Amino acid sequence: MSTFDPDALECLAAIVEEGGFERAAQRLSITQSAVSQRLRALEAQVGTVLIVRSRPLKPTSAGHLLLKHTKQLRLLRADLERDLKDLAPSSTGGARDDERISIAINADSIATWALPALNELAREGLPMEIIADDQDFTQEWLREGQVLGCVTTLKQALRGCKVVPLGAMNYVAIAQAEFARQHFPKGLGPHNFREAPFIAFNRKDDMQSEFVGKAFGLKRVSLNQLFVPSSEGQVRAVLAGWGVSVVPELLARGLLEQGQLVNIAPAYALPIQLYWHCWNLESEVLDSLSAALTAAANGALASAPA
């Protein structure tokens, strides 16, 4: 089996993660010409193209495999750094800034329970990179080998991965108190949901229409939507009277208790089951990540299905 140059592998990863040769060169503190040379040497060794020179740049299938291999090497080095610190606490470690441990988490989990779960690991110096995406799409980052774990709605384990059920995040429909009195004096219903815009995360976010459809037994739901690409931003937009939104009850709980927000469909909450997927590897760092996220989810989310 061929042995690949670690610097060339990190160069490939930098090109993909930074989105171009110039930014990769800046991150690696080398010239752009050196970046191109390392990539060409790696492509010559593999015998195929690793990067599609498009806008944006994209790794080929072989490139994806080498990216996954590179992240596995980062994980091994992170495990080694942890073991060395246990044996020599005064060690300063040798991990490079670009050797980040990447995971993908949906924005609503980041805004509620997931970040506190990672506090201890961050304080220990684990070089994490958290990638935010919709909970229905985070698994694509894992499938492509760009992260070592993800929080997703996908129940079935991906190839080479293991899966742990985390629990259900309950979503509720909210509006600013005065806005609710004006537009939904009797609450949200099957005949008045078009009377105000719904604030969604982005165009991939179907939470609003899924909530309305399931709450009122409607097969097709067409909504007037605004887009705010931030979980906390959606709540702020609702508070400002932009419209209504469907958000995690965890995120809105305090404002609901204070009366600034109103649950306009109190008879219904939409439970979204979440799962933690990660590579099926023996790794103390990976085990620590899994344990931290699972413990936090058990304390914050509704019980996972049996």
Side-chain angles (χ1 to χ4, degrees):
M1 179 181 291
S2 298
T3 300
F4 299 106
D5 179 5
D7 288 336
L9 290 172
E10 284 296 338
C11 184
L12 171 65
I15 294 169
V16 175
E17 292 169 354
E18 298 296 334
F21 287 72
E22 182 177 355
R23 292 183 63 181
Q26 293 173 355
R27 180 169 117 179
L28 298 174
S29 298
I30 59 177
T31 65
Q32 192 169 335
S33 175
V35 169
S36 298
Q37 290 173 8
R38 289 184 186 181
L39 178 62
R40 283 197 298 269
L42 188 59
E43 289 178 328
Q45 184 179 5
V46 177
T48 188
V49 173
L50 300 175
I51 295 287
V52 178
R53 274 72 165 178
S54 60
R55 292 191 178 183
L57 293 173
K58 295 180 180 179
T60 63
S61 296
H64 279 305
L65 288 176
L66 287 185
L67 280 172
K68 183 175 181 179
H69 177 63
T70 303
K71 291 184 181 294
Q72 289 173 338
L73 291 177
R74 289 178 182 176
L75 187 60
L76 289 172
R77 286 192 288 268
D79 281 331
L80 177 60
E81 288 295 321
R82 173 172 285 205
D83 292 340
L84 286 174
K85 285 183 179 180
D86 289 340
L87 293 173
S90 61
S91 171
T92 58
R96 302 186 313 203
D97 289 342
D98 57 299
E99 294 183 355
R100 302 182 185 95
I101 303 302
S102 302
I103 57 177
I105 303 178
N106 61 306
D108 288 338
S109 290
I110 292 173
T112 51
W113 63 271
L115 286 189
L118 302 172
N119 282 346
E120 186 61 32
L121 291 172
R123 285 193 289 264
E124 290 175 1
L126 184 66
M128 290 181 289
E129 177 182 13
I130 299 174
I131 295 171
D133 205 341
D134 185 273
Q135 60 266 11
D136 294 335
F137 296 92
T138 47
Q139 71 269 12
E140 294 305 318
W141 294 85
L142 182 61
R143 197 190 309 273
E144 294 176 357
Q146 298 194 57
V147 299
L148 59 83
C150 69
V151 175
T152 178
T153 54
L154 183 69
K155 183 177 182 179
Q156 184 177 357
L158 297 174
R159 182 180 177 183
C161 297
K162 53 188 176 182
V163 59
V164 178
L166 296 174
M169 180 174 285
N170 289 321
Y171 284 75
V172 296
I174 60 169
Q176 190 266 349
E178 182 59 31
F179 187 96
R181 282 191 289 270
Q182 291 179 5
H183 294 83
F184 303 102
K186 296 182 180 180
L188 186 68
H191 305 296
N192 67 359
F193 64 84
R194 293 188 180 89
E195 293 183 9
F198 277 73
I199 303 162
F201 188 87
N202 57 25
R203 294 183 184 275
K204 293 192 295 185
D205 179 13
D206 62 356
M207 187 68 66
Q208 322 297 317
S209 57
E210 182 178 357
F211 181 96
V212 172
K214 290 186 175 180
F216 307 121
L218 304 175
K219 292 183 178 180
R220 293 185 180 180
V221 175
S222 177
L223 299 175
N224 173 21
Q225 294 195 113
L226 306 175
F227 301 103
V228 178
S230 160
S231 299
E232 298 93 335
Q234 285 176 262
V235 174
R236 290 199 297 271
V238 172
L239 282 170
W242 288 24
V244 304
S245 191
V246 176
V247 302
E249 188 273 337
L250 279 172
L251 186 58
R253 183 178 296 169
L255 293 168
L256 287 168
E257 291 173 349
Q258 296 168 17
Q260 295 186 57
L261 293 178
V262 175
N263 184 341
I264 58 174
Y268 183 74
L270 177 63
I272 299 297
Q273 301 291 339
L274 296 176
Y275 302 86
W276 166 247
H277 293 248
C278 64
W279 293 342
N280 192 14
L281 299 173
E282 291 187 11
S283 165
E284 289 187 9
V285 168
L286 197 52
D287 289 345
S288 297
L289 274 169
S290 298
L293 289 168
T294 302
N298 287 342
L301 305 181
S303 298

